[in-house]
Amino acid sequence: MALIDTLLPKVKGNLILQHDEDDALLRGYISAAVDYAEGYQNKPQKYYHRRGAHMPPATEQAVIMLSSHFYESSDGSTGGFFADNTNAAAQVWMAVNRLLALGKEWIV
């Protein structure tokens, strides 16, 4: 099973989505979140898509959170579900980056 297809039900579970109408949109958000994770962690492009590549739990959670954030704030203007908090979007990115830092390849 492809990485995005493995993550799709997890993202939908996080969003509490029970329909399939937005699956194509979610796949795009997941792909973007995985690309972001690879770039942040200094991994080669498509690293996590390779057969046998292991995505650590913290990285997977970051991808789920970021994909969910993209979906919830698809208009680009709010923090999604937590839109009443003006810092919601910044808090999501801070949490995602902290989770991704756990799997980062540090380059000196």
Side-chain angles (χ1 to χ4, degrees), residues 55-102:
M55 181 178 282
T59 300
E60 182 176 288
Q61 184 59 40
V63 168
I64 292 167
M65 289 173 64
L66 189 53
S67 302
S68 298
H69 172 65
F70 289 158
Y71 182 82
E72 290 178 331
S73 59
S74 59
D75 66 353
S77 65
T78 68
F81 183 76
F82 298 102
D84 59 335
N85 180 343
T86 58
N87 293 322
Q91 291 171 351
V92 169
W93 283 99
M94 189 179 344
V96 165
N97 288 339
R98 285 183 176 166
L99 287 166
L100 292 176
L102 296 172

Side-chain angles (χ1 to χ4, degrees), residues 4 6 16 27 32 50 53 58 61 64 75 82 88 95 98 104:
I4 292 174
T6 301
I16 315 170
R27 282 186 176 92
R50 294 180 187 156
Q61 184 59 40
I64 292 167
D75 66 353
F82 298 102
R98 285 183 176 166
K104 187 170 184 160

Side-chain angles (χ1 to χ4, degrees), residues 12-72:
K12 288 175 73 171
N14 190 59
L15 291 166
I16 315 170
L17 282 181
Q18 298 178 349
H19 61 79
D20 299 332
E21 295 170 16
D22 292 336
D23 283 7
L25 182 64
L26 286 170
R27 282 186 176 92
Y29 291 151
I30 294 166
S31 181
V34 171
D35 285 350
Y36 178 79
E38 290 167 341
Y40 188 93
Q41 293 179 332
N42 296 315
K43 306 274 189 202
Q45 192 173 18
K46 303 295 181 190
Y47 175 84
Y48 288 119
H49 293 276
R50 294 180 187 156
R51 184 181 302 260
H54 172 71
M55 181 178 282
T59 300
E60 182 176 288
Q61 184 59 40
V63 168
I64 292 167
M65 289 173 64
L66 189 53
S67 302
S68 298
H69 172 65
F70 289 158
Y71 182 82
E72 290 178 331

